Amino acid sequence: MVTPVAPDRGKLHASVVSAIEAEILSGALKVGERLPSEADLARRFAISTRSVREGLQILETKGLVRRKHGERAEVVRDDVEQFLGSLATTVRSLFAEDPAYLVQLMDVRRMFELEVVGRLAAGEGQLSPDVAAALDELSGAKDFSQYAEADARFHRALVQSLGNEILSSVYGNLYALITDVIRLTSRVPSKTQAEGVAEHEAIFNAIRTGKVEGSRALMREHIDNSTAYLQQAIDAANKQGKPS
């Protein structure tokens, strides 16, 4: 006698996950829209409400829906902005505990920006007018604060020029932190304003003339130098904070 094999419950809730995920990603289900009730979904997919709940739990883990007790699940795909904002807050709290995390942020910048300038030089995306505008602001900066702000805007405009919305969102949420880093690095005696402007102009021109490796090399040198200046600023601050 053959013992009946119980249906694979994993496959049952997987049908809910794949169908609803496809509807959310295609835009058929809009952000803020409520899903049908668990009972209605159970009837639609011919499965138990328990399997429906398991599927909704997976969708919630993926960040596609939000569930509250007594309410139908809500589509929250665009909550990525809220998540990234929380991430930036968490990173800032790490900096408050240990300034050495600022150096790690520079490493993140290096990963992002070397890829960005190389791809822009290769013809991807389109250089935003904001890049040239930031260069003009750098040249005309009257004080240290204006220079730091224009410097940060230059780098942000490059990232946005690539046209990758997720990358722009991630970088944008770290933008205030990056501006803080630029302020710190610019305070370390290293180069004149004219030399700093020339570095940015060289990166800009390498991108415009399609020099992929040249633009990456210039950006790498720029961020590496800034990281060294940042480490000097951190070391100086630590030395001042120690009792003599």
Side-chain angles (χ1 to χ4, degrees), residues 7-20 37-56:
D8 186 341
R9 292 183 55 245
K11 292 181 180 179
L12 294 179
H13 71 250
S15 63
V16 178
V17 174
S18 60
I20 294 179
S37 68
E38 292 180 0
D40 287 340
L41 289 171
R43 283 190 288 272
R44 171 184 169 184
F45 293 98
I47 58 178
S48 69
T49 54
R50 180 176 178 180
S51 293
V52 169
R53 281 193 292 273
E54 291 173 349
L56 292 177

Side-chain angles (χ1 to χ4, degrees), residues 21-237:
E21 181 175 11
E23 290 178 20
I24 292 173
L25 296 179
S26 69
L29 282 170
K30 307 296 184 185
V31 174
E33 205 172 320
R34 298 279 181 180
L35 298 184
S37 68
E38 292 180 0
D40 287 340
L41 289 171
R43 283 190 288 272
R44 171 184 169 184
F45 293 98
I47 58 178
S48 69
T49 54
R50 180 176 178 180
S51 293
V52 169
R53 281 193 292 273
E54 291 173 349
L56 292 177
Q57 183 176 357
I58 292 173
L59 289 167
E60 187 171 35
T61 302
K62 289 186 172 190
L64 296 173
V65 304
R66 181 196 295 120
R67 296 183 300 162
K68 291 183 180 179
H69 182 69
E71 298 181 7
R72 289 182 292 149
E74 178 186 5
V75 177
V76 291
R77 182 183 175 194
D78 281 357
D79 264 13
V80 65
E81 282 292 342
Q82 181 180 345
F83 167 75
L84 291 172
S86 299
L87 174 63
T89 301
T90 300
V91 174
R92 184 177 288 280
S93 69
L94 290 174
F95 293 163
E97 295 173 8
D98 183 358
Y101 278 106
L102 291 168
V103 176
Q104 293 189 26
L105 177 62
M106 296 297 282
D107 193 36
V108 172
R109 282 190 62 195
R110 188 183 295 104
M111 294 176 193
F112 283 168
E113 296 189 38
L114 263 63
E115 180 72 9
V116 165
V117 297
R119 291 171 66 174
L120 286 172
E124 290 188 49
Q126 186 172 5
L127 272 175
S128 166
D130 292 341
V131 180
L135 270 178
D136 288 341
E137 291 173 18
L138 274 174
S139 300
K142 302 299 183 184
D143 55 38
F144 164 79
S145 180
Q146 285 184 7
Y147 182 90
E149 291 287 347
D151 191 344
R153 279 196 289 273
F154 173 85
H155 291 274
R156 185 180 188 182
L158 284 177
V159 172
Q160 292 174 331
S161 293
L162 194 58
N164 184 310
E165 293 183 12
I166 294 177
L167 177 59
S168 295
S169 182
V170 172
Y171 195 92
N173 275 277
L174 296 176
Y175 178 69
L177 302 177
I178 290 169
T179 305
D180 289 346
V181 170
I182 289 172
R183 286 196 182 98
L184 279 172
T185 56
S186 298
R187 288 187 186 278
V188 178
S190 55
K191 55 192 172 188
T192 66
Q193 179 174 327
E195 289 170 334
V197 171
E199 278 189 15
H200 290 80
E201 288 178 339
I203 293 168
F204 180 60
N205 290 330
I207 294 170
R208 287 198 306 171
T209 54
K211 297 175 181 176
V212 176
E213 291 308 316
S215 63
R216 286 170 58 87
L218 288 167
M219 182 62 81
R220 181 184 293 108
E221 181 180 10
H222 175 66
I223 294 180
D224 286 350
N225 287 340
S226 295
T227 303
Y229 305 147
L230 175 60
Q231 189 63 64
Q232 290 177 41
I234 291 172
D235 291 344

